[in-house]
C-alpha cells in the first residue's frame, strides 16, 4: 500500500493550484469565502474561465470537449478548487445532462446541446422531483402526451434549483400511465421560454432564493426533444443519479471548513482566552478532524476502486452519508464558534459600520441552516441507507 | 409530590395560549418578526394587558408571581407560539430592579420596555471578562447582541465599576443603538456607549446578575420545551400524512424510532427545566440552570435537525412553520451561555 500521490499527480496538483491563484477573480473568491449569494453573473464568469482552460466539463471524455481526467485528477481539482474558494461548478448541464446526452442522446442532440453547455449558451435545470414524488421519484405524475410531432406536457415540478436562471429544463414525464410505474417514464428536454411554463420562487429557511416550482400547462415541445427511447426514461434517470459519484463526499470543502473553523477559534475569545484553548470546543474540532481524516482515506479507497473498475459502485452511498454529516458538523462548529454573534439575519448590519463577526463569518448561522439540505437532496441519507441495505448487506 | 399546575398558573397558561393562538398566528409572527421593529408593539400591549409580565415578578416587587414555575408557564407558551416579543428582557430587567428595590410598575404594565446588556463581542457569556466600564456615572463600552434592544426604551447595562460589577439604567435615546433582525426572528441591537450617562441602579451586582441570568435561562429553556413540543407534534403529523412508496412514511421503522428518540429527549428536557425552575432563587440555582441549558442545547439541536430531516425538502422552506421552530431551537443555544459553556460550569461546580 502507498498513500502517496504519484509525482505526476503532485505536479498536476501544483498546476491546478497555480491556475486558481492566477485566474480566480478576487470578487468571486470573496463571495464564496463569505458565503454570499453566487449570482448568475458570477457562475457564468467562473464557468467561462474554466472553459477557456478546457477544465469545465471535468467528467466529460476528451471527444466531447472534456479534459479526459480520471477520478484522481478530478479529486485533486475539487480539493484545490475548495482550497482556493472557487465556486462549485453548477452541475445540471455539465455533470447531469452532459453525460446523459453522451450516452443516450442522438448525434444531433449531442452536436447541438453539448457545445452550448460548454460555452454557457444554455443554463440547465433539473426537473425530477414533484410535490408528491420526492424519495419515491418513480411515482411522478407530470404527463407528456404525444400529439403528432409534438409532446403536450402538463404537471408540476418542484425544488428546481436555480430554475430562475435556467433556459432549459430536463424533465422526467409520464408517457404511459398504464404500465408499471418505472416503465412509462420518458426523459424530455423543455425550452423554458415555451408558452405554458411558469416558474415560481420558493424561499428557503435562511431567506435565500435558490429553488423554484415549475408549472407546465399545455406546454408543446417538439417530439425530437425526447432523449433515448420513449418510456425508457427511468434507465436514464438512474444513470444520471448514480453514474458519477466522485466529489460526493465533498472532502475538499470539509478540509477548507476545518481550516476556517480552526482559524476562527483562534480569533474568537471565550473566558479571556482564544476559543481554540477551550477544551470542550477543541475536542469537538478534534473529533470532526478525525472523522474527516478517515473520510479522506475512505474517499481515496473508493476512487482507487473506481479507477480500477471503471465505475464506482453502491458503496459511494457511504460517501454521501458520511460526507454530508461531516460537512454539516463543520457548519455547526462555525456557527457555534460565534455563539450569539452568528445570530444576526444575513445582511441585517450591512448598512452600518458595525460588525459582529470576523470577516467572512457573518453568515455562519445562515450557512448552517441552508446546509441541512445536503442530507435531504440527491437521495436523502435514509434512501442511501436503504440502497446500502439492499446492495451491500443483501437484506 | 405534585406535578400539576396550580389553578392560577393553569388559568395563565390557558389565557396566554388562547391569545397567542388567536392573535399571533405563525403568519403574523413571521411578518412582524422579520420586519422592523421585529416585534408587534400593538400586540405587546395586548400581551401585557393579559398580565403576562406581572406573572414574572413577585408580590413584593409589584407582581403576582415571580417563581421559576410562573416564569416557566409564560415562556413555554411563548415558545409554543414562537413569539418574538421582548419578554426575556422584561424578565431579566425585573429581576435586577427587584434586587435594587426599584419601582417596576412601568415595566410590568408594559409601558416601558427594557433590554438587558450583559454580553460583549469578546465575552458573550462570561461576565468576568466584561470590559464595559462606568466612571462617575458615565459608561463606555459596547454591548453586543442585546436581545430586544432594537425595541427598548431603556437598557440595564452591566459595567465594571471599582472592583465589582454594577447595573446602570441607560435611556435608549442616550446610547448609540443599532437594531437588526435575528436569524430566528425577533430583533437585537448593538449598544455602543461612549461616556454615556447612566443611573446607578445597583452596586456589587454580581449576585443579582447571576439571578437574572438564571431566571432568563429558566425562561429560555421553557420556551425551548414549548417549541420542541410543537415541532415534534408537527413531525409526527407529517409522518402520518406524507406518503411515499405508496404508504405513510411514518410506517418506516427507522423514522418511527427517531421520532421516539425526539420524544425521549423532550421529556428529559421538560424534567430538567422543572428542576431548574424549582431551584430558581435558591443557593443551587446556577448549577441547575446550567444543567438545564446544557441539556436543552443538545436536545434542541437533535429535535430541530431530526424534524427537518424527516420532513425532507418541505422543512427547508420559509413557508413551512416547522423551519422557523427549528431555527429558534438552534439559536436558543447561543443565548445566555451555550451547551459547552454550561457543561464547563457544571464540571467546575
Ligand atoms: C434545497 C433543495 C434543492 C433541490 N434541488 C432539486 C433539483 O434541482 N431538482 C430536483 O428534481 N429535485 C431537487 N430537490 C429535491 C430532492 O431531491 C428531494 O427533496 C428529495 O429527494 C427528498 O424528497 P422529499 O423532499 O419529497 O422528501 P420525502 O421523500 O417526502 O421524505 C421525507 C422523509 O422521509 C424519509 N423517507 C422517505 N422514504 C423513506 C424510506 N423508504 N425509508 C426511510 N425513510 C424514508 C426521507 O429520507 C425523509 O427523511 C431539492 C431539494 C432541496 C431541499
Amino acid at each position: 500500500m502507498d498513500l502517496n500521490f504519484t509525482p505526476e499527480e503532485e505536479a498536476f496538483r501544483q498546476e491546478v493550484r497555480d491556475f486558481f491563484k492566477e485566474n480566480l477573480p478576487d470578487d468571486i473568491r470573496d463571495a464564496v469565502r463569505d458565503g454570499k449569494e453566487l449570482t448568475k453573473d458570477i457562475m457564468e464568469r467562473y464557468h467561462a474561465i474554466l472553459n477557456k482552460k478546457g477544465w469545465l466539463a471535468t467528467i466529460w471524455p476528451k471527444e466531447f470537449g472534456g479534459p479526459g481526467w480520471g477520478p484522481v485528477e478530478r479529486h485533486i481539482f475539487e480539493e484545490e478548487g475548495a482550497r482556493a474558494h472557487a465556486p462549485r461548478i453548477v452541475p445540471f448541464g455539465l455533470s447531469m445532462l452532459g453525460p446523459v446526452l453522451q450516452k443516450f442522446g442522438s448525434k444531433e442532440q449531442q452536436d447541438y446541446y453539448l457545445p452550448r453547455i460548454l460555452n454557457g449558451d444554455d443554463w440547465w435545470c433539473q426537473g425530477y422531483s414533484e410535490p408528491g414524488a420526492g424519495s419515491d421519484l418513480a411515482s411522478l405524475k407530470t404527463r407528456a402526451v404525444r400529439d403528432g410531432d409534438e409532446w403536450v406536457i402538463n404537471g408540476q415540478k418542484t425544488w428546481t434549483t436555480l430554475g430562475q436562471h435556467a433556459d432549459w429544463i430536463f424533465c422526467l414525464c409520464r408517457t404511459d400511465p398504464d404500465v408499471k410505474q418505472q416503465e412509462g417514464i420518458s426523459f424530455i428536454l423543455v425550452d423554458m421560454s415555451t408558452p405554458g411554463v411558469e416558474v415560481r420562487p420558493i424561499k428557503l429557511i435562511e431567506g435565500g432564493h435558490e429553488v423554484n416550482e415549475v408549472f407546465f400547462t399545455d406546454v408543446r415541445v417538439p417530439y425530437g426533444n425526447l432523449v433515448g427511447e420513449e418510456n425508457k426514461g427511468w434507465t436514464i434517470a438512474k444513470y444520471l443519479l448514480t453514474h458519477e459519484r466522485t466529489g460526493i463526499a465533498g472532502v475538499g470543502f470539509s478540509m477548507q471548513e476545518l481550516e476556517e473553523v480552526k482559524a476562527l477559534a483562534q480569533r474568537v475569545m471565550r473566558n479571556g482566552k482564544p476559543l481554540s484553548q477551550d477544551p470542550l470546543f477543541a475536542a469537538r474540532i478534534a473529533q470532526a478532524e478525525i472523522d474527516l481524516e478517515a473520510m479522506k482515506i475512505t474517499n481515496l479507497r473508493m476512487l482507487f476502486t473506481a479507477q480500477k473498475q471503471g465505475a464506482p459502485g453502491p458503496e459511494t452511498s457511504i460517501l454521501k452519508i458520511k460526507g454530508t454529516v461531516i460537512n454539516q458538523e463543520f457548519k455547526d462548529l462555525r456557527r457555534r464558534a460565534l455563539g450569539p454573534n452568528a445570530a444576526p439575519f444575513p445582511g441585517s448590519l450591512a448598512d452600518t459600520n458595525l460588525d459582529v463577526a470576523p470577516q467572512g463569518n457573518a453568515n455562519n448561522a445562515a450557512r448552517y441552516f441552508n446546509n441541512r439540505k445536503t442530507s435531504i437532496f440527491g437521495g436523502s441519507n435514509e434512501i442511501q441507507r436503504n440502497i446500502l441495505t439492499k446492495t451491500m448487506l443483501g437484506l | 409530590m405534585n406535578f400539576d399546575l396550580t389553578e392560577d398558573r393553569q388559568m395563565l397558561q390557558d389565557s396566554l395560549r388562547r391569545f397567542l393562538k388567536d392573535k399571533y398566528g405563525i403568519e403574523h409572527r413571521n411578518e412582524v418578526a422579520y420586519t422592523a421593529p421585529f416585534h408587534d408593539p400593538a400586540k405587546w400591549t395586548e400581551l401585557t394587558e393579559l398580565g403576562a409580565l406581572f406573572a414574572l415578578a413577585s408580590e413584593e416587587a409589584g407582581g403576582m408571581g415571580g417563581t421559576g414555575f410562573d416564569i416557566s408557564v409564560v415562556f413555554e407558551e411563548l415558545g409554543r407560539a414562537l413569539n418574538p416579543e421582548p419578554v426575556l428582557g422584561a424578565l431579566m430587567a425585573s429581576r435586577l430592579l427587584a434586587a435594587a428595590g426599584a419601582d417596576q410598575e412601568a415595566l410590568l404594565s408594559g409601558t416601558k420596555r427594557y433590554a438587558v446588556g450583559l454580553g460583549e463581542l469578546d465575552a458573550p457569556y462570561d461576565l468576568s471578562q466584561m470590559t464595559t466600564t462606568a466612571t462617575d456615572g458615565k459608561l463606555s463600552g459596547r454591548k453586543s447582541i442585546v436581545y430586544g434592544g432594537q425595541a427598548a426604551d431603556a437598557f440595564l447595562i452591566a459595567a465594571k465599576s471599582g472592583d465589582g460589577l454594577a447595573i446602570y439604567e441607560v435611556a435608549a435615546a442616550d446610547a448609540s443603538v443599532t437594531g437588526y433582525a435575528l436569524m430566528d426572528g425577533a430583533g437585537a441591537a448593538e449598544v455602543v456607549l461612549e461616556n454615556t450617562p447612566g443611573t446607578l441602579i445597583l452596586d456589587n451586582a454580581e449576585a443579582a446578575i447571576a439571578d437574572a441570568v438564571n431566571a432568563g435561562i429558566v425562561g429560555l429553556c421553557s420556551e425551548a420545551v414549548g417549541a420542541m413540543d410543537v415541532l415534534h407534534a408537527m413531525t409526527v403529523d407529517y409522518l402520518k400524512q406524507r406518503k411515499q412508496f405508496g404508504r405513510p412514511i411514518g410506517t418506516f421503522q427507522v423514522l418511527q424510532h427517531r421520532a421516539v428518540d425526539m420524544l425521549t429527549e423532550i421529556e428529559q428536557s421538560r424534567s430538567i427545566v422543572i428542576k431548574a425552575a424549582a431551584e430558581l432563587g435558591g443557593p443551587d440555582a446556577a448549577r441547575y440552570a446550567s444543567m438545564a441549558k446544557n441539556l436543552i442545547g443538545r436536545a434542541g439541536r437533535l429535535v430541530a435537525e431530526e424534524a427537518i430531516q424527516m420532513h425532507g425538502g418541505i422543512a427547508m422552506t420559509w413557508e413551512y412553520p416547522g423551519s422557523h421552530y427549528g431555527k429558534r431551537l438552534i439559536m436558543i443555544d447561543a443565548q445566555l451561555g451555550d451547551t459547552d459553556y454550561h457543561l464547563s460550569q457544571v464540571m467546575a461546580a
Side-chain angles (χ1 to χ4, degrees), chain A residues 92 125-137 158-162 204 210-211 370 373 375-383 386, chain B residues 238-239 242-245 247 249 252 254-255 258 308-314 316:
Chain A
F92 306 107
C125 63
Q126 179 189 27
Y128 271 29
S129 306
E130 299 181 6
S135 298
D136 182 15
L137 187 57
T158 190
W159 307 123
T160 319
T161 298
L162 301 182
L204 284 189
E210 66 184 60
V211 295
N370 180 281
K373 70 191 176 190
S375 50
I376 295 171
F377 65 22
S380 72
N381 284 8
E382 289 75 22
I383 295 299
N386 288 349
Chain B
Y238 197 72
L239 294 178
R242 173 70 172 170
K243 286 204 175 108
Q244 291 286 280
F245 304 99
R247 54 181 171 129
I249 58 173
F252 298 121
V254 64
L255 303 188
R258 284 158 60 183
I308 292 173
Q309 182 69 25
M310 290 199 273
H311 274 88
I314 196 79
M316 287 302 302

Side-chain angles (χ1 to χ4, degrees), chain A residues 130-137 139 159 202-208 211 267-273 278 280-281 284 328-329 332 335-336 338-346 348-349 352 354-357 365-366 368-373 375-376 380-383 385-386, chain B residues 34 38 120-126 129 142 144-145 147 178-184 190 192 242-246 254-255 258 298 301 304-306 308-319 323-324 326-328 330-331 333-335 338-341 343-345 347:
Chain A
E130 299 181 6
S135 298
D136 182 15
L137 187 57
S139 68
W159 307 123
I202 298 175
K203 190 169 164 186
L204 284 189
I205 183 167
E206 85 296 347
V211 295
R267 294 173 72 174
V268 170
M269 299 296 285
R270 283 292 185 281
N271 306 316
K273 286 184 295 217
D278 173 48
L280 293 174
F281 198 81
R284 285 181 198 276
Q328 288 176 336
E329 179 66 13
D332 188 63
R335 174 184 64 72
R336 301 169 77 104
L338 289 181
N341 299 110
F345 198 64
S348 224
L349 281 157
T352 73
L354 291 171
D355 227 333
V356 298
Y368 159 84
F369 288 112
N370 180 281
N371 201 245
R372 301 310 305 172
K373 70 191 176 190
S375 50
I376 295 171
S380 72
N381 284 8
E382 289 75 22
I383 295 299
R385 286 187 179 91
N386 288 349
Chain B
Y34 290 97
F38 313 118
E120 300 178 359
L121 275 178
D122 284 335
Y125 313 134
D126 181 11
Q129 300 300 319
R142 173 174 165 189
S144 191
I145 325 281
Y147 296 93
T178 308
Y180 46 86
L182 295 172
M183 192 66 228
D184 50 339
E190 297 301 291
V192 179
R242 173 70 172 170
K243 286 204 175 108
Q244 291 286 280
F245 304 99
V254 64
L255 303 188
R258 284 158 60 183
R298 290 182 283 134
R301 181 182 175 194
E305 292 184 351
E306 285 289 60
I308 292 173
Q309 182 69 25
M310 290 199 273
H311 274 88
I314 196 79
M316 287 302 302
T317 66
W318 189 273
E319 198 179 330
S323 65
H324 300 281
K327 281 190 291 186
R328 181 68 192 125
I330 293 289
M331 299 314 292
D333 185 43
Q335 280 181 267
D338 67 6
T339 285
D340 286 352
Y341 176 80
L343 183 58
S344 59
Q345 298 296 102
M347 286 160 68

